[in-house]
Amino acid sequence: MESEPKVYRGTAALQRGRHSSPGADYFITGNLERPLNGLTAPSLAHLIQEQFHALARAGHWHVRTFVLMPDHFHS
């Protein structure tokens, strides 16, 4: 009897078959758990922008650009 193929869900599905390479360019998306939103509220948007820049100053990444939407961001 043939077994059904394994279904990967959640983090395991996102990480399956992936690797990272130092110096490579990556596109990052992050989101709030739906139906939450509010990332573009001025005080929170400012904090998020400051954290992106702090990570860049610390050498963790180089942000070329980012887009902040009410419930998610792209960088």
Side-chain angles (χ1 to χ4, degrees):
M1 183 170 154
E2 220 176 287
S3 64
E4 292 190 28
K6 182 169 180 157
V7 176
Y8 292 89
R9 298 190 189 283
T11 302
L14 293 173
Q15 294 175 343
R16 186 168 185 251
R18 298 206 180 189
H19 70 278
S20 60
S21 299
D25 291 335
Y26 291 94
F27 181 77
I28 299 170
T29 298
N31 63 283
L32 296 176
E33 186 173 336
R34 289 185 172 77
L36 298 176
N37 61 36
L39 292 179
T40 55
S43 59
L44 186 54
H46 178 74
L47 288 173
I48 293 169
Q49 180 180 2
E50 285 300 313
Q51 287 302 305
F52 277 25
H53 292 300
L55 288 167
R57 285 191 302 273
H60 296 295
W61 67 8
H62 172 76
V63 178
R64 292 183 182 190
T65 188
F66 69 90
V67 178
L68 190 58
M69 307 294 282
D71 64 345
H72 68 285
F73 69 86
H74 300 284
S75 174

